[in-house]
C-alpha cells in the first residue's frame, strides 16, 4: 500500500513539473514586441579589427523604452544579456538560436537586471566590464522587458534584425598567467644550471679517481 502511495505521489509531481514546463514552452521569441527597447553598446576600444579582451575591456551600454512600445504597462523589470552573433554560432549547437525561449541558447551571458520604473523616461546608461569567462566570439547586446511573472514580453538589441551591424569581437583569456610564465622560465634556467653543476662535479670526481 505504501508503495502505491509513493508511486502516485511521484506521478503527481511529474505531472506538475511537466505542466509548469508546458507553460514555459509556450513563450516564443516571435511573440515578443520587437524594438520596444532602444539599445546601444559602445566598446571601450573601437576601430577596424579591434578585438576586446575578456576581463579587461568594457562596454558602455545605454537603453530606453521606445516611444512606439505598446506593452510598456506590462514591464516590471529589464534584463540585459550578451548574445552570440551568427558567425559565432556556426557548428556550435550549444549556442543555437531557438524561437522557443526555454530552448534558446544564443544569449547565455547575463550582464545586469533591475526593476523597471515607468516614471523614468530618460535613457539609462552603465558600464560593463567583460567577464573573465566570456568565450572568444562575436557578440551584440540584447535587453528584455519582463512582466510580473518574469516572462519576456518585449526586447531591443544593439544590432539590426539580421544581427549584422554594430557587432564586436572578444578574445577569451588564455588561462595562462604572466607569473606562471616567469616561474616556468626561472625553473628552466635553474634546471640547466643544476645539470651543469652535476656534470662538473662528476667530471671532477672522475679526475680524482684517475689520479689515485
Amino acid at each position: 500500500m505504501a508503495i502505491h502511495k509513493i508511486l502516485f505521489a511521484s506521478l503527481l509531481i511529474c505531472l506538475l513539473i511537466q505542466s509548469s514546463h508546458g507553460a514555459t514552452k509556450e513563450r516564443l521569441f516571435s511573440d515578443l514586441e520587437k524594438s520596444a527597447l532602444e539599445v546601444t553598446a559602445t566598446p571601450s576600444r573601437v576601430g577596424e579589427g579591434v578585438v576586446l579582451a575578456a576581463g579587461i575591456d568594457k562596454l558602455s551600454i545605454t537603453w530606453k523604452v521606445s516611444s512606439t512600445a505598446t506593452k510598456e504597462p506590462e514591464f516590471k523589470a529589464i534584463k540585459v544579456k550578451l548574445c552570440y552573433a551568427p558567425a559565432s554560432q556556426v557548428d556550435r549547437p550549444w549556442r543555437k538560436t531557438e524561437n522557443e525561449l526555454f530552448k534558446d541558447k544564443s544569449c547565455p551571458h547575463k550582464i545586469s537586471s533591475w526593476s523597471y520604473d515607468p516614471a523614468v523616461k530618460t535613457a539609462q546608461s552603465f558600464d560593463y566590464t567583460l567577464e573573465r569567462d566570456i568565450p572568444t566570439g562575436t557578440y551584440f547586446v540584447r535587453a528584455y522587458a519582463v512582466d510580473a511573472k518574469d516572462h519576456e514580453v518585449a526586447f531591443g538589441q544593439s544590432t539590426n534584425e539580421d544581427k549584422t551591424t554594430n557587432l564586436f569581437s572578444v578574445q577569451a583569456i588564455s588561462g595562462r598567467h604572466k607569473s606562471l610564465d616567469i616561474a616556468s622560465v626561472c625553473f628552466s634556467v635553474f634546471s640547466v644550471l643544476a645539470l651543469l653543476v652535476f656534470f662538473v662535479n662528476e667530471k671532477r670526481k672522475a679526475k680524482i679517481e684517475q689520479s689515485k
Side-chain angles (χ1 to χ4, degrees), residues 5-23 25:
K5 289 183 178 179
I6 293 173
L7 290 175
F8 177 76
S10 300
L11 178 61
L12 184 61
I13 292 172
C14 289
L15 289 174
L16 289 173
I17 293 174
Q18 188 173 17
S19 63
S20 65
H21 282 181
K25 290 179 181 179

Side-chain angles (χ1 to χ4, degrees), residues 11-187:
L11 178 61
L12 184 61
I13 292 172
C14 289
L15 289 174
L16 289 173
I17 293 174
Q18 188 173 17
S19 63
S20 65
H21 282 181
T24 305
K25 290 179 181 179
E26 294 175 1
R27 310 297 299 180
L28 301 177
F29 182 77
S30 56
D31 290 340
L32 306 184
E33 182 182 1
K34 63 181 180 180
S35 302
L37 300 173
E38 298 176 8
V39 182
T40 62
T42 305
S44 54
R45 293 187 296 121
V46 295
E48 186 176 354
V50 170
V51 178
L52 305 178
I56 298 176
D57 286 315
K58 298 181 179 181
L59 298 175
S60 178
I61 299 172
T62 300
W63 69 271
K64 70 175 181 177
V65 177
S66 172
S67 59
T68 60
T70 60
K71 293 186 176 181
E72 183 183 1
E74 299 179 42
F75 296 178
K76 296 301 179 183
I78 303 296
K79 297 183 178 183
V80 183
K81 297 184 177 184
L82 190 63
C83 307
Y84 293 110
S88 291
Q89 294 176 293
V90 177
D91 297 326
R92 295 177 175 90
W94 57 91
R95 299 179 181 179
K96 188 177 180 181
T97 298
E98 296 281 1
N99 191 36
E100 293 176 283
L101 289 171
F102 86 102
K103 288 184 178 180
D104 184 60
K105 303 178 182 69
S106 61
C107 302
H109 307 290
K110 297 178 181 178
I111 293 179
S112 186
S113 63
W114 50 87
S115 298
Y116 174 66
D117 184 356
V120 179
K121 300 298 183 182
T122 57
Q124 305 296 302
S125 300
F126 65 97
D127 289 336
Y128 164 71
T129 301
L130 293 163
E131 299 289 344
R132 294 174 59 85
D133 59 351
I134 297 296
T136 296
T138 304
Y139 296 88
F140 64 93
V141 172
R142 177 180 290 162
Y144 287 101
V146 300
D147 61 17
K149 295 181 179 179
D150 202 34
H151 290 161
E152 296 87 346
V153 294
F155 77 97
Q157 56 193 33
S158 61
T159 185
N160 60 357
E161 188 172 354
D162 294 328
K163 295 176 277 191
T164 58
T165 61
N166 301 321
L167 305 176
F168 51 89
S169 298
V170 176
Q171 176 63 52
I173 294 176
S174 65
R176 291 178 62 90
H177 196 276
K178 187 179 291 184
S179 61
L180 293 177
D181 292 333
I182 294 173
S184 178
V185 171
C186 292
F187 181 77

Side-chain angles (χ1 to χ4, degrees), residues 183-202:
S184 178
V185 171
C186 292
F187 181 77
S188 297
V189 172
F190 176 79
S191 299
V192 172
L193 291 175
L195 191 61
L196 288 174
V197 171
F198 174 78
F199 280 122
V200 169
N201 286 336
E202 288 298 314

